[in-house]
Amino acid sequence: MKVVALAGGVGGAKLADGLAQVLPTEDLTIIVNTGDDFEHFGLSICPDLDTVCYTLAGLANPETGWGQASESWVAIEAAKALGAPGWFNLGDRDLGTHLERTRRLRGGDALSAITADFCRAWGIGPQVLPMSDAPVRTIVQTRDGDELAFQNYFVELRCEPEVRGFRFEGIEAARPAPGAVDALIAADLVVICPSNPWVSVAPILAIDGLRAAVADKPVLAVSPIIGGQAVKGPAAKMFRELGIAPSALAVAQHYGDLLAGFVLDTADAGQAEAVQGLGIMPLATATLMQDTAGRARLAAEVLEFGGYLLTNA
Ligand code: FO1
């Protein structure tokens, strides 16, 4: 079964890793959010691409989910001693990624080509694609009327400002990365990973042509909300601040008729009937991925469910 996964953030990276464990390498393409990208110390930083790649390569820091494991912080500490901003922690190994990506981008190489080369160097089999080679920046619009660059909202301000909405700067000029639409056309199934619908999945679906290509296929999503809480990050808080009670059902309603299937946690099995009422086939199962084996188990269940949708949709 050929699968395209849409992913951003730590939860998305974990399911992408599970899918990479259970699918033949040529049957999986992961399209990754780049709306979180930003420039810091003059370096082009792509957090969601790096989180997906580090996770698939087994390099990711298991505690944080982002950055690399067995990291050191010598360079950033030396910079902070000279007055550098310290709110965004850049580890020494991670810096290597940002230095080389920035060097290649400055040399005119496309982000998708750089990512393919990094995947080869990291021994990652499946195709990992940025949603676009053009820069797209998620801007968080706050209740106070401010507009915050994503990392300033997410890291510097620790997601505290109340959100009113989002906009994706550069989205008008952004086209799908080379290979993204082809992967979707060839796909049997699209999996929306348990990522933040507002700031990890929405930017991908906002890229001209991607939503239409996704909508042409059977799509299933895995809920990032369990028991009204996000497993990680501000998704539930964002739902609340946008006037929607956070729940697995709210996520299914958010994606609406894009979905043929929706995977929710057993803790929310009581919402399965309401999901079915939306015309979306529900599957309630254990969706918390505690370790590598748990990622593969959930991925296998997602694919089995996808196969059922294909034969019964
Ligand atoms: N998140 C934090 O909460 N604090 C950090 O200092 C931080 C540093 C960082 C460095 C590289 C990287 O790729 C990600 C980093 N993140 C950090 C996470 C990042 O803000 C998020 O991964 C995404 O943008 C949202 O998923």
Side-chain angles (χ1 to χ4, degrees):
M1 181 193 291
K2 283 197 170 301
V3 175
V4 171
L6 309 185
V10 174
K14 286 180 176 174
L15 183 57
D17 181 41
L19 291 166
Q21 290 181 57
V22 299
L23 281 167
T25 199
E26 66 278 2
D27 286 355
L28 176 61
T29 292
I30 304 154
I31 298 177
V32 182
N33 169 46
T34 58
D36 295 7
D37 296 3
F38 77 133
E39 282 66 41
H40 198 46
F41 290 99
L43 296 172
S44 294
I45 295 175
C46 304
D48 282 355
L49 276 171
D50 290 345
T51 297
V52 166
C53 290
Y54 289 164
T55 302
L56 265 66
L59 295 171
N61 179 321
E63 278 77 51
T64 56
W66 51 263
Q68 291 199 28
S70 55
E71 191 52 285
S72 56
W73 308 92
V74 177
I76 191 70
E77 287 310 321
K80 281 156 70 173
L82 297 170
W87 59 271
F88 196 81
N89 294 312
L90 290 167
D92 296 314
R93 296 174 192 277
D94 196 31
L95 266 177
T97 304
H98 309 316
L99 288 170
E100 179 55 4
R101 178 182 283 124
T102 303
R103 185 188 71 84
R104 294 277 306 267
L105 286 170
R106 292 248 172 87
D109 289 342
L111 183 57
S112 49
I114 298 166
T115 304
D117 290 345
F118 283 15
C119 284
R120 252 188 301 284
W122 283 324
I124 294 169
Q127 181 177 226
V128 177
L129 293 172
M131 63 192 194
S132 175
D133 280 335
V136 175
R137 297 285 179 270
T138 297
I139 302 296
V140 178
Q141 299 164 318
T142 72
R143 193 158 301 290
D144 305 345
D146 294 330
E147 290 209 323
L148 302 171
F150 182 78
Q151 296 300 337
N152 295 97
Y153 162 81
F154 189 87
V155 179
E156 191 174 26
L157 299 175
R158 291 179 305 286
C159 306
E160 282 161 11
E162 284 195 30
V163 305
R164 171 172 52 85
F166 310 94
R167 67 182 176 81
F168 307 129
E169 205 159 76
I171 197 73
E172 295 74 20
R175 294 294 170 269
V181 173
D182 292 344
L184 285 163
I185 290 170
D188 299 304
L189 178 71
V190 176
V191 176
I192 299 180
C193 293
S195 303
N196 185 316
W198 303 104
V199 291
S200 295
V201 179
I204 300 173
L205 294 175
I207 298 283
D208 179 44
L210 283 190
R211 185 186 193 93
V214 166
D216 267 354
K217 297 293 168 170
V219 182
L220 72 80
V222 178
S223 179
I225 304 269
I226 300 177
Q229 305 289 322
V231 176
K232 184 178 177 75
K237 178 175 182 285
M238 289 176 171
F239 267 102
R240 255 194 313 279
E241 289 165 0
L242 293 168
I244 305 167
S247 69
L249 175 60
V251 175
Q253 287 166 326
H254 174 78
Y255 288 124
D257 55 9
L258 193 59
L259 299 186
F262 186 69
V263 182
L264 62 170
D265 193 80
T266 37
D268 298 316
Q271 296 171 30
E273 197 174 333
V275 170
Q276 190 132 22
L278 300 172
I280 301 171
M281 183 67 71
L283 171 74
T285 187
T287 58
L288 260 183
M289 295 171 277
Q290 315 270 19
D291 53 22
T292 301
R295 298 171 187 175
R297 178 197 48 75
L298 180 60
E301 287 185 29
V302 162
L303 293 178
E304 188 186 351
F305 182 43
Y308 172 81
L309 291 174
L310 290 181
T311 45
N312 293 275

